[in-house]
């Protein structure tokens, strides 16, 4: 008689074509901001086919916009809902949230793609298209895992709460809405593209803007002005030093393979409006990484103090203090004890499929895990198929073998975590 583990693994192996078609349909539906509904419909149809209890709603209520963790410049979510499907357990077991985001970043310049960005084209075991790695491949793994358990006639004791959310790429409003709607569990897995590594710790991040004032003058008598670009260079030098100081404090071995665990990235500089004029304003915009064990407030305070030190060292900046603002996207960090039972169960399942121990590291980027853990109080591990190097790039792809293996690992994890009902 086959064990439950053998049954679900065999089901996934025998239904790879079915799983591939599901992922292909998801990728072929573009789901950039404000256009998530088509891909979400594919997911909802699959959940209904599996007989899940469904909750589909347009986010924006439940005190969402007023919550301290809310971050979005979008005021209208109409027509692009969140979707939650529940595979209800028989009772007495631990519950699990499986969380995936349906939104994708824009395709960029179509000329950089070898084929149409939403083709879902398959070649040499890889499925190509925007969102294939980040993170529709992971969502397909979740659905395949749940389908394998249900269609193998296995009942679990604990509930499995599948979430397909919008707005992850812009700060996590979709996942925040699920928490505020009351969806919590004993643990959560988010299958972002980790290259099959386990991430119990996730970097947070925030966008910043620094306005540096100068004094305008004619370029021919530039000595009568104060060049805002040159003063901005002093600010950037201080930010580089701050980055070094912050990263020197990080000794967590999970960051050993990451050259800069919590970077401060300068992403945009705007200054001047005429080559023959001394610019009187420079605006620096960037992204500040937040360590898993620190708060966003502490990180903000440290940057503000660094800017005050540079101002004290320069007479012009002392009189014209750079103005620091926090705007746009913001992601909370996540920090799970590596000895947590979820890590042990997921690692066991990984070893059962891959026949080796998993690599456990810290995430070099932010995810919705910070919202689930910090706001919802839910232990979170990020684990899934796909590699970061192809995400957000032209010719994004995912290895289908990774999708299937992730589905097997997640299915085995659900059997162990939620427990099989006799």
């Amino acid at each position: 008689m086959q064990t439950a583990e053998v049954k679900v693994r065999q089901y996934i192996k025998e239904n790879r074509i079915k799983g591939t078609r599901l992922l292909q349909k998801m990728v072929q539906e573009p789901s950039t901001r404000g256009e998530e509904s088509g891909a979400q419909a594919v997911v909802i149809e699959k959940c209904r086919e599996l007989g899940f209890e469904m909750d589909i709603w347009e986010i924006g209520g439940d005190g969402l916009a007023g919550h301290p963790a809310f971050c979005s410049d979008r005021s209208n979510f109409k027509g692009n809902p969140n979707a939650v499907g529940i595979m209800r357990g028989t009772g007495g077991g631990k519950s699990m949230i499986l969380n995936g985001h349906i939104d994708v970043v824009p395709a960029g310049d179509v000329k950089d793609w070898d084929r149409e960005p939403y083709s879902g084209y398959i070649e040499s075991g890889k499925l190509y298209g925007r969102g294939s790695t980040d993170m529709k491949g992971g969502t397909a793994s979740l659905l395949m895992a749940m389908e394998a358990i249900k269609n193998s006639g296995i009942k679990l004791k604990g509930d499995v709460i599948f979430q397909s959310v919008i707005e992850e790429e812009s700060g996590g409003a979709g996942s925040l809405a699920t928490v505020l709607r009351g969806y919590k569990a004993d643990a959560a897995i988010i299958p972002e593209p980790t290259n099959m590594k386990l991430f119990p710790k996730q970097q947070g991040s925030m966008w910043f803007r620094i306005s540096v004032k100068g004094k305008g003058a004619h370029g021919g008598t530039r000595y009568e002005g104060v060049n805002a670009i040159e003063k901005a260079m002093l600010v950037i030098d201080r930010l580089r030093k701050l980055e070094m100081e912050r990263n020197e404090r990080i000794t967590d071995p999970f960051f050993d393979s990451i050259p800069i665990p919590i970077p401060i990235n300068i992403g945009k500089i705007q200054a001047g409006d005429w080559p023959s004029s001394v610019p009187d304003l420079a605006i620096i915009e960037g992204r500040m990484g937040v360590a898993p064990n620190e708060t966003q407030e502490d990180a903000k305070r440290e940057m503000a103090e660094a800017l005050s030190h540079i101002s004290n060292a320069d007479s012009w900046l002392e009189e014209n203090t750079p103005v620091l603002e926090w705007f746009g996207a913001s992601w909370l960090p996540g920090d799970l004890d590596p000895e947590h039972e979820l890590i042990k169960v997921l690692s066991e399942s990984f070893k059962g499929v891959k026949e080796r121990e998993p690599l456990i590291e810290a995430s070099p980027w932010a995810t919705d895990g910070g919202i689930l853990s910090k706001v919802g109080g839910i232990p979170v591990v990020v684990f899934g198929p796909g590699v970061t190097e192809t995400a957000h790039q032209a010719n994004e792809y995912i290895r289908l073998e990774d999708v299937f293996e992730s589905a097997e690992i997640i299915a085995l994890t659900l059997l162990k975590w939620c427990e099989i009902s006799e």
Side-chain angles (χ1 to χ4, degrees), residues 84-294:
V84 170
I86 303 174
M87 189 165 74
R88 190 71 68 185
T90 60
K94 295 191 291 293
S95 57
M96 176 74 78
I97 284 174
L98 302 176
N99 174 287
H101 68 83
I102 199 67
D103 55 310
V104 302
V105 299
D109 191 341
V110 177
K111 295 192 294 293
D112 291 336
W113 289 75
D114 294 339
R115 292 182 178 84
E116 198 275 325
Y118 300 99
S119 67
Y121 185 83
I122 298 171
E123 183 177 62
S124 302
K126 299 173 181 176
L127 189 149
Y128 289 81
R130 173 59 82 230
S132 55
T133 273
D134 189 11
M135 62 167 285
K136 292 176 179 177
T139 297
S141 293
L142 299 181
L143 289 167
M144 289 174 69
M146 297 175 76
E147 178 178 328
I149 292 170
K150 187 172 181 62
N151 287 359
S152 295
I154 299 166
K155 292 187 181 298
L156 302 177
K157 292 182 180 180
D159 295 341
V160 181
I161 304 166
F162 168 78
Q163 302 176 341
S164 183
V165 301
I166 66 172
E167 283 290 285
E168 188 274 346
E169 297 288 0
S170 305
S175 284
L176 178 61
T178 67
V179 174
L180 297 181
R181 200 167 177 86
Y183 288 110
K184 297 186 181 181
D186 295 307
I189 296 172
I190 300 180
E192 291 275 13
T194 69
N195 198 20
M196 309 289 279
K197 300 175 184 178
L198 276 59
F199 291 167
K201 299 170 185 281
Q202 301 112 57
Q203 177 192 149
S205 65
M206 305 175 289
W207 287 3
F208 64 85
R209 178 185 295 120
I210 304 172
S211 300
V212 185
K213 185 173 173 55
K215 180 183 177 184
H218 191 288
T221 55
R222 70 174 186 84
Y223 43 83
E224 293 180 352
V226 176
N227 194 309
I229 294 175
E230 293 176 3
K231 295 302 179 184
M233 290 167 64
L234 296 177
V235 172
I236 291 171
D237 286 345
R238 184 64 186 96
L239 293 179
R240 279 286 164 262
K241 185 180 178 184
L242 175 63
E243 178 187 69
M244 182 179 66
E245 294 166 351
R246 284 171 54 76
N247 282 277
E248 282 177 346
R249 298 199 300 260
I250 294 180
T251 58
D252 191 326
F254 286 156
F255 283 103
D256 283 351
S257 65
I258 302 173
I260 308 175
I262 46 172
I264 297 176
N265 181 63
I266 308 300
K268 181 179 176 182
I269 300 177
Q270 182 179 346
D273 54 16
W274 192 251
S276 290
S277 296
V278 175
D280 60 2
L281 180 65
I283 299 175
I284 303 164
E285 292 182 353
R287 171 196 183 278
M288 183 183 197
V290 182
N293 61 348
E294 76 174 333

Side-chain angles (χ1 to χ4, degrees), residues 220-376:
T221 55
R222 70 174 186 84
Y223 43 83
E224 293 180 352
V226 176
N227 194 309
I229 294 175
E230 293 176 3
K231 295 302 179 184
M233 290 167 64
L234 296 177
V235 172
I236 291 171
D237 286 345
R238 184 64 186 96
L239 293 179
R240 279 286 164 262
K241 185 180 178 184
L242 175 63
E243 178 187 69
M244 182 179 66
E245 294 166 351
R246 284 171 54 76
N247 282 277
E248 282 177 346
R249 298 199 300 260
I250 294 180
T251 58
D252 191 326
F254 286 156
F255 283 103
D256 283 351
S257 65
I258 302 173
I260 308 175
I262 46 172
I264 297 176
N265 181 63
I266 308 300
K268 181 179 176 182
I269 300 177
Q270 182 179 346
D273 54 16
W274 192 251
S276 290
S277 296
V278 175
D280 60 2
L281 180 65
I283 299 175
I284 303 164
E285 292 182 353
R287 171 196 183 278
M288 183 183 197
V290 182
N293 61 348
E294 76 174 333
T295 66
Q296 289 181 320
E297 290 69 29
D298 285 342
K300 288 178 180 180
R301 187 160 44 250
E302 193 166 8
M303 181 175 282
E305 289 173 358
L307 293 178
S308 69
H309 291 157
I310 186 67
S311 297
N312 294 338
D314 182 274
S315 58
W316 174 264
L317 294 179
E318 187 175 13
E319 293 294 324
N320 301 272
T321 306
V323 177
L324 172 63
E325 303 171 73
W326 300 96
F327 78 105
S330 172
W331 290 266
L332 291 168
D335 189 9
L336 180 66
D337 183 346
E339 296 300 316
H340 193 279
E341 185 65 19
L342 177 59
I343 297 287
K344 295 177 182 177
V345 172
L346 190 52
S347 296
E348 240 179 75
S349 301
F350 182 97
K351 191 174 179 180
V353 173
K354 300 287 285 182
E355 299 182 348
R356 63 174 174 83
E357 296 290 341
L359 291 174
I360 303 178
E361 297 181 355
S363 169
W365 24 254
T367 74
D368 275 357
I371 287 173
L372 296 186
S373 62
K374 301 294 187 186
V375 180

